[in-house]
Amino acid sequence: MISFKQLPLEAKAAVAAGVVFFSMMLSRSYLAEQLELRMRRWLLRLQMALFANALMLIGSLHVWRSTVTTFSRSSSVANSFCFMPWKIAVFMFLALAHSSFFTLLFLVAEEPYFFSLAAYTCLGAYIILIFFLFTLGSVEQAYKFLAGRAAKAGTGNKNSRTAMKPLLAVMLTVVLTVVGLLNASQPPTVNSVEVPVHKLPSTMNNLKVVLLSDIHLGPTVGKTKLAMIVRMVKALKPDITVIVGDLTDSEAEIIRPAVEPLGELNSPLGTYFVTGNHEYYTSDVSNWFELLKSFNIRPLHNENVKIVSPKSTDEWFCLAGVDDIEADVLRYSGHGMDLKKALRGCSSENAIVLLAHQPVAAKWALQERPDINLILSGHTHGGQMFPLNAGAYFLNPFFVGLYKVGQNTFVYVSPGTMYFGIPMRLGSRAEITEIILRSP
């Protein structure tokens, strides 16, 4: 029987990830009620950081072997002046990428720290590099198989070809990282979308709703970016502003100064908020609700409000919001998607607009209440960056943009107003959505 010491490093990393994941399940099931809330928050984040790092270690070993070990086999390269700086650079790159998850524990403030920005940039580049190393390796193997070549070519030619893969992968990674950073540094685009809403009162035709989602205040998004978003929203002069989750990645007390620009939102028919999965990762939802209320932002915690027409008090539509579905997974006390409670008093005689962070929740809501007229979601970030776009596309029933479901229902999924952690966007663009409601 093979002992743990005899396992390859990749297998040891996989075992470590499994142990951390198992400890997460145990702590959620058996320690949730025994630990103080603050300790529970810290433990959950630490476990998530350790789990991510254990998984990343498998990829990091592959990166090191591809970009360092491969070149060290050539005596001319290993003895060159550039090899040692290159070795140090690769080590620092991997160390920064691994440290990114720990910045949530130790480096969150009103404005991002440079270390956090550098660490998350390296994490984004790490994801791209892993993808290209794997893809180029797969292409090479497929070519050898299809061409029927034996791997008995000259040693010099083989070393040359072997070195080309990591060099090409690194060059592509550098180019895409720069493009992604430049794209994410731009202000969100304003996308205006007209949506016909069945049974919307004629007096509310052309009502303007501004949709924000996935701002992710935390290690790489701070007060300056939020103030910019608020200025852009105010310039649109919306009747209603809605924030559909993932506003934050940190505790309310720690990041309170960064949230202050939200107090400038002054939509005449109100500003509303529903939780996303990241609010529950903070384990601080109650404090966030109180903080948002102090800025005249109303959380819709499985509840609804009547949005009354400014022109006629007898005409209105129902605006409802549900908790994020991950509250159930995390066993967050008093929270979880409860559509029946959220739509209590909302009949099919009036238009219904639902705020639900995840597109999966939108799908479930329509299965239970097909009379909902419009659902506003976020969560997917439009994939945020290549190559994560494909995964986000296949994992969500609605990916990004406007979808028509049945005869009288629409779902709009925001690509996100900022980004999560990695300050990069590839194949997507941050967006503030201006939704114009049209009466039939």
Side-chain angles (χ1 to χ4, degrees), residues 425-438:
R425 276 190 174 266
L426 283 168
S428 67
R429 182 69 190 273
E431 174 183 297
I432 293 173
T433 315
E434 179 186 57
I435 297 176
I436 310 298
L437 306 184
R438 301 288 195 191

Side-chain angles (χ1 to χ4, degrees), residues 16 29 63 78 84 109 144 163 184 201 236 249 276 291 308-309 312 326 357 365 372 381 396 429:
S29 301
V63 170
M84 184 53 69
K144 286 180 179 179
L236 295 173
D249 290 309
L291 179 57
V308 179
S309 170
S312 173
E326 210 145 330
H357 176 66
I372 297 172
H381 295 217
N396 292 280
R429 182 69 190 273

